[in-house]
Amino acid sequence: MTQKSLVGSRAVVTARYAILPPAGIPAGVLPEWPEVDARVLTAPAMGARFAMYRLDVPRDHGSRQRLRQDIEAFAFVLGGRVALALNGADHVLGPGGFAYLKPGSAFELKALADEAALLWLRKGYVPVEQGRPDDVVGDEEAIAAEPYVFGSGNPRLDQPYPVIEGLRLKTLLPDTVAFDMAMNIFTFEPGHSLPVVETHVMEHGLYFLQGQGLYLLGDTWREVEAGDFIWMGPYCPQSFHATGSEPSRYLYYKDVHRDVSL
Ligand code: UGY
Ligand code: MN
């Protein structure tokens, strides 16, 4: 291939947010994931307080490791099939399969098919007296897509807010204080939007699974589509409007259930 003309990209990286389309992210190999194409989508180097990766795993390869006692992780299968042995239990995950790995987990993950692709997230777990999280393994297809109620999560706020038409939310992890992260899948019918511009202390690591739309980040609406990754730091103004002809779907991480550390 010869490249002589100038190139361009929708990639943008600022102090408060980033959009990374897949084409511009070169793969590397990590010691914990031999033979795996690892793309670090966000990391403390970007400003995030967690790390998120796309991992393309060849058949019969993967990882065998024990997480540090203070590190939790989450895996989501984008394509292919993987075998996961997690703290003594065996699972097979296909597309939409996911696993939350409690801090200190011992696991072995191996691709059973060509072109297994995963999202992988690691972060420091913040312990609380009220309980410890346990492993969670599931399939997003088995989880109901609930009508989206703005303000949900706070029972006292639920009442006055209406259901937002055209939006559905799947909550993959238990909404209990033992867990310090949420992983959700949002679906938007074409032409529908988030009801407000959100500004919150929580961060997001967002992977666009399907469709396209306009994301407001800071003060700029930008085009996004399937395969894009978005990092939103604390208090990044954010909103979304779905365009195109099919529903837009994105998986996103959010830090939850913890007071501000001072
Ligand atoms: O849960 C959230 O904060 C979500 N509504 N944010 C987002 O989709 N950008
Ligand atoms: Mn948000």
Side-chain angles (χ1 to χ4, degrees), residues 194 198-200 202-204 215 232 236 238 250 252 254:
L194 279 173
E198 300 176 8
T199 42
H200 50 65
M202 303 83 141
E203 284 184 275
H204 291 315
Y215 230 102
M232 292 170 238
C236 173
Q238 59 195 257
Y250 58 74
Y252 69 98
K254 182 175 187 174

Side-chain angles (χ1 to χ4, degrees), residues 86-172:
L86 175 59
N87 298 315
D90 291 328
H91 311 275
V92 173
L93 305 177
F98 64 86
Y100 166 83
L101 292 75
K102 66 184 176 188
S105 283
F107 74 94
E108 182 169 4
L109 184 149
K110 197 191 314 180
L112 300 174
D114 295 332
E115 303 189 16
L118 297 178
L119 293 173
W120 177 241
L121 184 144
R122 292 165 60 235
K123 75 178 275 289
Y125 175 69
V126 183
V128 284
E129 285 174 2
Q130 288 85 343
R132 298 279 298 180
D134 214 340
D135 296 331
V136 181
V137 178
D139 187 328
E140 67 117 329
E141 272 193 21
I143 294 179
E146 304 286 352
Y148 182 60
V149 181
F150 179 71
S152 62
N154 183 339
R156 284 167 303 165
L157 290 180
D158 270 349
Q159 212 51 29
Y161 289 98
V163 168
I164 311 298
E165 289 291 319
L167 278 57
R168 298 233 156 215
L169 192 68
K170 291 186 180 189
T171 306
L172 305 190

Side-chain angles (χ1 to χ4, degrees), residues 145-231:
E146 304 286 352
Y148 182 60
V149 181
F150 179 71
S152 62
N154 183 339
R156 284 167 303 165
L157 290 180
D158 270 349
Q159 212 51 29
Y161 289 98
V163 168
I164 311 298
E165 289 291 319
L167 278 57
R168 298 233 156 215
L169 192 68
K170 291 186 180 189
T171 306
L172 305 190
L173 298 181
D175 188 16
T176 61
V177 79
F179 286 81
D180 67 354
M181 70 157 93
M183 296 294 306
N184 301 333
I185 296 178
F186 233 139
T187 303
F188 295 72
E189 295 302 322
H192 289 263
S193 307
L194 279 173
V196 294
V197 176
E198 300 176 8
T199 42
H200 50 65
V201 68
M202 303 83 141
E203 284 184 275
H204 291 315
L206 183 160
Y207 188 86
F208 221 86
L209 296 168
Q210 177 187 303
Q212 62 184 80
L214 296 170
Y215 230 102
L216 176 72
L217 296 165
D219 58 5
T220 309
W221 289 93
R222 299 173 188 274
E223 287 187 303
V224 293
E225 63 179 9
D228 287 355
F229 172 78
I230 305 176
W231 169 64

Side-chain angles (χ1 to χ4, degrees), residues 15-39:
R16 273 277 186 265
Y17 64 85
I19 301 175
L20 302 187
I25 315 172
V29 175
L30 304 173
E32 294 81 0
W33 294 90
E35 310 293 329
V36 172
D37 279 352
R39 292 176 170 82

